[in-house]
Amino acid sequence: MLDSAKLINIVLVETSHPGNIGSAARAMKNMGLSNLNLINPKKFPHGDARALSGNALDLLESAEVHQDIQSAIANSKYVLATSARERSIDWPIVEAREAAIKIKSMVEKGDEISILFGREDRGLTNEELQLANEHLIIPADTDYPVLNLAMSVQLVCYEIHMALKSDQNFSWQDYPEYTHQEIENLIKHFNETAFKLGLIDKSNPKQILTRMERMFRRLHPDKMEGNFLRGFLTKVNKLLK
Amino acid sequence: MLDSAKLINIVLVETSHPGNIGSAARAMKNMGLSNLNLINPKKFPHGDARALSGNALDLLESAEVHQDIQSAIANSKYVLATSARERSIDWPIVEAREAAIKIKSMVEKGDEISILFGREDRGLTNEELQLANEHLIIPADTDYPVLNLAMSVQLVCYEIHMALKSDQNFSWQDYPEYTHQEIENLIKHFNETAFKLGLIDKSNPKQILTRMERMFRRLHPDKMEGNFLRGFLTKVNKLLK
């Protein structure tokens, strides 16, 4: 197991079926994760959990049981809540693969992170979803996107394993990534400048602006890149005056 | 479900626990796959299979039951056998992610493919492994790499879904990507403009310019984005004159 993997908390919220806790523990251990946190599990400890945990009994034994999510995630610098796309409140969304890359960069800096998984039948409440920095989506078929809880844990842990084992080194990224708000500000600044430069068709400004917004979000600049672009735009605006 | 997904056969060989068949069916349907093939299942049909299949009962009902693998894979042009790395006989090996990309390219040509999953306790025999073109490995932690059967099905189907949908992802990309030369020209144009705007430290221009180059290469703009940025830079240069 990688040291950085120890900074990753899997948090199961009010799981009904202890078998799912056991399957989730096995899924975690298969992918090199070990920190299992249970918020008000319906039945735990339980024989079904042990029966399905395979060789991951140690994870069940070391699992932390909490009464509320807040105490489980208190030390986390980045909290993800798994969510079905259609149920999601208006919140930043990342797909599992992208989330795993982010998690890798966080834990390699020594930051603790948590991933919340909701109840089998109802997922997480809106209040619980709002505890998260971002919502994690597992891409699935639109006809039947409802995954079993332990399967969701398996897929997320797999993506984390794939990211952690990848040789891709993000150490070149010596500056932190722009925050969501910083990207918003950059997009606004760019779009206003493009307007002043007469580059936007005023009868239909939406189309190109949406494309530029998408482009900047895809770029996800780091602080030095983003600040350089902001400086560039500031200079252009001075010329325009 | 994508049409090409119909060309993908999931083949479970001598599964002991019918619950695993049900979980596998749900895992498949969650990821948009539908062709379930069972080779000599110990117990099928069975209540446990139905109980765990969620809304994928239709997959159980349409599942083909065969007496031998050969008849199940007769029409497949590419056969993958899932295998634990250490048990693998000397055969070409692909990881799940890479396999999914290969599968995508096969089915998009109209070729049928099959993926074999072995028994819960013993996997596939060497004879069965030798029926495959390649062996598929799911990356896992070396301390405990033994995945539950349905979890393996889930992960492989997920990778296939991710690969197949990557196509759809590109449907927003209605413009071709900038060529290498076009990106070169964009970077040159941007850097020259930044120079004229007085944003580059002349004693050490390399550092920031290298960073901007890396940023634009990472962005890899499409033709419309790239051309808009070029137009933006042209306007700024006009202001500078």
Side-chain angles (χ1 to χ4, degrees), chain A residues 1 23 26-27 29-32 53-56 95-97 138-141 143-148 150-151 154-155 158-159 161-162 165 172 174-175 190 193-194 197-200 207-208 211-212 214-215 218-222 224-225 228-229 231-233 235-236 239-240, chain B residues 1 23 26-27 29-32 53-56 95-97 138-141 143-148 150-151 154-155 158-159 161-162 165 172 174-175 190 193-194 197-200 207-208 211-212 214-215 218-222 224-225 228-229 231-233 235-236 239-240:
Chain A
M1 192 194 303
S23 295
R26 178 173 177 179
K29 190 166 179 181
N30 285 157
M31 295 299 152
S53 67
N55 287 337
E95 290 193 352
R97 187 158 299 172
I138 296 172
D141 194 60
D143 286 348
Y144 182 33
V146 188
L147 273 73
N148 166 277
M151 292 293 188
Q154 178 73 77
L155 289 171
Y158 166 76
E159 284 289 9
H161 177 73
M162 291 295 285
K165 91 180 177 78
W172 58 264
D174 40 9
Y175 291 89
F190 179 84
T193 311
L197 287 169
L199 289 162
I200 310 293
Q207 206 206 355
I208 183 71
R211 280 174 183 275
M212 289 298 112
R214 190 172 68 185
M215 183 185 75
R218 190 173 84 237
L219 174 64
H220 204 174
D222 67 27
M224 117 85 88
E225 293 167 346
F228 189 82
L229 293 175
F232 189 103
L233 294 169
K235 283 275 186 191
V236 173
L239 286 176
L240 281 161
Chain B
M1 193 194 303
S23 295
R26 177 173 177 178
K29 191 166 178 179
N30 284 157
M31 295 299 152
S53 67
N55 286 338
E95 289 192 354
R97 187 158 298 173
I138 296 172
D141 194 59
D143 286 347
Y144 182 33
V146 188
L147 273 72
N148 167 275
M151 291 293 188
Q154 179 72 77
L155 289 171
Y158 166 76
E159 284 289 7
H161 177 73
M162 291 296 285
K165 96 181 176 75
W172 59 263
D174 39 9
Y175 292 88
F190 180 85
T193 311
L197 287 169
L199 289 162
I200 310 292
Q207 206 206 356
I208 184 70
R211 281 176 182 274
M212 289 299 113
R214 189 173 70 186
M215 183 185 75
R218 190 174 84 238
L219 174 63
H220 205 175
D222 68 26
M224 119 83 90
E225 293 166 347
F228 189 83
L229 292 174
F232 189 101
L233 294 169
K235 283 275 188 193
V236 173
L239 286 175
L240 282 161

Side-chain angles (χ1 to χ4, degrees), chain B:
Chain B
M1 193 194 303
L2 294 165
D3 272 358
S4 46
K6 291 179 189 154
L7 295 166
I8 299 166
N9 299 302
I10 299 296
V11 184
L12 307 186
V13 179
E14 298 195 349
T15 309
S16 295
H17 301 294
N20 282 333
I21 298 175
S23 295
R26 177 173 177 178
M28 288 172 61
K29 191 166 178 179
N30 284 157
M31 295 299 152
L33 301 188
S34 58
N35 295 343
L36 175 59
N37 298 264
L38 306 170
I39 316 297
N40 284 327
K42 286 277 148 64
K43 299 169 189 167
F44 187 82
H46 192 280
D48 288 354
R50 283 192 293 278
L52 285 162
S53 67
N55 286 338
L57 259 185
D58 53 329
L59 266 69
L60 295 182
E61 277 155 17
S62 66
E64 289 180 32
V65 180
H66 297 265
Q67 294 309 303
D68 61 283
I69 297 178
Q70 301 276 14
S71 70
I73 65 176
N75 296 319
S76 290
K77 294 214 173 152
Y78 180 51
V79 177
L80 282 161
T82 53
S83 164
R85 197 179 293 270
E86 69 273 21
R87 295 191 47 221
S88 208
I89 52 175
D90 189 19
W91 218 254
I93 284 176
V94 278
E95 289 192 354
R97 187 158 298 173
E98 193 191 334
I101 292 165
K102 222 156 173 172
I103 288 166
K104 175 191 159 96
S105 73
M106 302 284 304
V107 297
E108 284 181 351
K109 283 189 298 178
D111 290 341
E112 194 175 315
I113 72 107
S114 287
I115 309 162
L116 312 179
F117 293 83
R119 299 154 192 84
E120 287 95 334
D121 51 350
R122 294 175 294 123
L124 297 162
T125 66
N126 281 353
E127 264 185 14
E128 289 163 352
L129 285 168
Q130 287 167 24
L131 295 172
N133 300 99
E134 293 186 290
H135 292 169
L136 184 155
I137 304 281
I138 296 172
D141 194 59
T142 46
D143 286 347
Y144 182 33
V146 188
L147 273 72
N148 167 275
L149 170 62
M151 291 293 188
S152 300
V153 173
Q154 179 72 77
L155 289 171
V156 170
C157 294
Y158 166 76
E159 284 289 7
I160 292 171
H161 177 73
M162 291 296 285
L164 291 180
K165 96 181 176 75
S166 70
D167 214 333
Q168 299 169 323
N169 271 355
F170 284 121
S171 65
W172 59 263
Q173 215 173 12
D174 39 9
Y175 292 88
E177 285 183 332
Y178 245 25
T179 64
H180 182 74
Q181 187 57 52
E182 284 169 326
I183 294 178
E184 290 289 324
N185 296 343
L186 171 62
I187 292 169
K188 195 161 167 270
H189 199 175
F190 180 85
N191 285 349
E192 283 168 4
T193 311
F195 239 116
K196 289 184 199 161
L197 287 169
L199 289 162
I200 310 292
D201 173 8
K202 273 161 198 163
S203 67
N204 186 15
K206 197 87 186 132
Q207 206 206 356
I208 184 70
L209 293 179
T210 304
R211 281 176 182 274
M212 289 299 113
E213 180 176 349
R214 189 173 70 186
M215 183 185 75
F216 282 111
R217 292 204 198 283
R218 190 174 84 238
L219 174 63
H220 205 175
D222 68 26
K223 221 175 177 65
M224 119 83 90
E225 293 166 347
N227 289 351
F228 189 83
L229 292 174
R230 289 297 298 272
F232 189 101
L233 294 169
T234 300
K235 283 275 188 193
V236 173
N237 278 279
K238 274 185 191 149
L239 286 175
L240 282 161
K241 267 173 197 162

Side-chain angles (χ1 to χ4, degrees), chain A residues 104-105 108 167-175, chain B residues 214:
Chain A
K104 176 189 159 98
S105 73
E108 285 182 349
D167 293 323
Q168 271 181 303
N169 208 336
F170 287 91
S171 63
W172 58 264
Q173 212 173 14
D174 40 9
Y175 291 89
Chain B
R214 189 173 70 186

Side-chain angles (χ1 to χ4, degrees), chain A:
Chain A
M1 192 194 303
L2 294 164
D3 269 0
S4 46
K6 292 179 188 154
L7 294 167
I8 299 167
N9 299 303
I10 300 296
V11 183
L12 307 186
V13 179
E14 298 195 351
T15 309
S16 295
H17 302 294
N20 281 335
I21 297 175
S23 295
R26 178 173 177 179
M28 287 171 64
K29 190 166 179 181
N30 285 157
M31 295 299 152
L33 300 188
S34 58
N35 294 343
L36 176 59
N37 297 266
L38 306 171
I39 316 297
N40 284 326
K42 286 277 149 61
K43 299 169 189 167
F44 187 84
H46 193 281
D48 288 354
R50 285 191 294 277
L52 285 162
S53 67
N55 287 337
L57 259 184
D58 53 329
L59 266 68
L60 294 183
E61 277 155 18
S62 65
E64 287 179 33
V65 180
H66 297 264
Q67 295 310 304
D68 61 285
I69 297 178
Q70 301 276 15
S71 69
I73 65 176
N75 296 318
S76 290
K77 294 219 174 147
Y78 180 50
V79 177
L80 282 161
T82 53
S83 164
R85 196 179 295 270
E86 68 272 22
R87 295 190 46 220
S88 207
I89 51 175
D90 188 20
W91 218 254
I93 284 176
V94 278
E95 290 193 352
R97 187 158 299 172
E98 193 192 335
I101 292 166
K102 223 156 173 174
I103 288 167
K104 176 189 159 98
S105 73
M106 302 282 305
V107 296
E108 285 182 349
K109 282 189 297 178
D111 289 341
E112 192 175 316
I113 73 107
S114 288
I115 309 162
L116 311 180
F117 293 83
R119 300 151 191 84
E120 286 96 334
D121 50 351
R122 294 175 292 124
L124 296 163
T125 65
N126 280 353
E127 266 186 13
E128 290 163 351
L129 285 167
Q130 287 167 22
L131 295 173
N133 299 99
E134 294 186 291
H135 292 169
L136 184 155
I137 303 283
I138 296 172
D141 194 60
T142 46
D143 286 348
Y144 182 33
V146 188
L147 273 73
N148 166 277
L149 169 62
M151 292 293 188
S152 299
V153 173
Q154 178 73 77
L155 289 171
V156 170
C157 294
Y158 166 76
E159 284 289 9
I160 291 171
H161 177 73
M162 291 295 285
L164 290 180
K165 91 180 177 78
S166 77
D167 293 323
Q168 271 181 303
N169 208 336
F170 287 91
S171 63
W172 58 264
Q173 212 173 14
D174 40 9
Y175 291 89
E177 284 183 331
Y178 246 26
T179 64
H180 183 75
Q181 187 58 51
E182 285 169 326
I183 295 177
E184 290 290 323
N185 296 343
L186 171 62
I187 292 168
K188 195 160 166 272
H189 200 177
F190 179 84
N191 285 349
E192 283 169 3
T193 311
F195 237 116
K196 289 185 198 159
L197 287 169
L199 289 162
I200 310 293
D201 173 10
K202 274 161 196 161
S203 66
N204 186 15
K206 197 92 185 133
Q207 206 206 355
I208 183 71
L209 292 179
T210 304
R211 280 174 183 275
M212 289 298 112
E213 179 176 350
R214 190 172 68 185
M215 183 185 75
F216 281 111
R217 291 203 199 282
R218 190 173 84 237
L219 174 64
H220 204 174
D222 67 27
K223 219 174 180 67
M224 117 85 88
E225 293 167 346
N227 289 351
F228 189 82
L229 293 175
R230 289 297 299 271
F232 189 103
L233 294 169
T234 300
K235 283 275 186 191
V236 173
N237 278 281
K238 275 185 190 151
L239 286 176
L240 281 161
K241 267 174 196 158

